[in-house]
Amino acid sequence: MEPTDLIWMNGSFVPWEDAKVHVLTHGLHYGTGVFDSMRCYDSELGPAIFRNAEHIERLRRSAELYYMPLPYSEEELRAATLELVGRNGLRSCYIRPIVNRGYGQMGLNPLEAPVDVTIACWEWGAYLGEEGKRKGVRAKVSSWRRISPDSLIPHAKASGQYLNSVLAKIESSKAGYEEAILLDDHGHVCEGTGENVYIVRDGEIATPGQHNSILDGITRRSLIQIARDLGYTVVERNVARAELYLADEVFMSGTAAELVPVREVDDHQIGSGRPGEITRVLQSAFEDAILGRTEAYREWLDVVPVRPLETDGRGGADTESGAAAPSVGGRATAAG
């Protein structure tokens, strides 16, 4: 990981190396935290965060599900995210906001512990690699099941819950695969360790639904809309494990991974063993959307404002000053 200059912590920008928490932080001991993830792309409109507002909204919902009231409004967090990317001088990056119970309370009742909010960003390539995006990855159905909604809240992007994905990821990696696919507690296909899953059969796209304990992926929502706009039929339903092997195409999506073809599952070759036609069409259309090339989806891009140089009173430029430019029509606009 390549450090950036600044991290936003509880309303202040602090140097990367000073962004620290106490060893008795509640979230560190009990996993009482939720997070989200966004990407900023060097789009045709300038650096822009993909569906920033929707990710911040999901962060708030996840926090509420775990009884963590956010001390900042969604608009304040959106503006902080935009300013953080701008202050760090990044044109493309991965962004990680996290809300956790902080230092001051130990034990399993966390309600008296403070709620801390942090946002970091850094340059990070495709999660499963650029070669994986081009040629597809090999996946293994994990022996670990996706957490049950009777035990935790799969719809929340909660820190402690990702131990489930960590176990599946390690298992698949040690077995020589790039990714794992988890089944839900009924044995239906659920999702990858950090991605939603889709199959293509006879020209129809099928993907597990909310009832399968999936995380409601924002990239998933975007791809479903793009696919339907292109005229494809997309159905959300139970997907049997064997359907992965019998599919013409399989692909996965997530913020970190973007859209990744799957060329093999459990040593069964998928289709021709190469990314399929529909996968490639959607991959190209998604790239056009995140880079601002498609007018219809430009509303998904939250443009990082250009921070104007401010004088220090002696005619010099103060490059550390300045805040995010105001938003117009729901999106931040570039100044100048």
Side-chain angles (χ1 to χ4, degrees), residues 35-39 50 55 58 94-97 157 255-256:
F35 67 95
D36 220 285
S37 57
M38 300 89 92
R39 277 194 184 272
F50 184 68
H55 283 283
R58 186 173 66 181
Y94 179 86
I95 303 162
R96 169 60 60 86
K157 200 171 174 69
T255 294

Side-chain angles (χ1 to χ4, degrees), residues 172-186:
S172 64
S173 179
K174 283 182 173 292
Y177 299 84
E178 286 83 43
E179 189 51 294
I181 295 174
L182 293 91
L183 307 180
D184 67 16
D185 56 337
H186 296 290

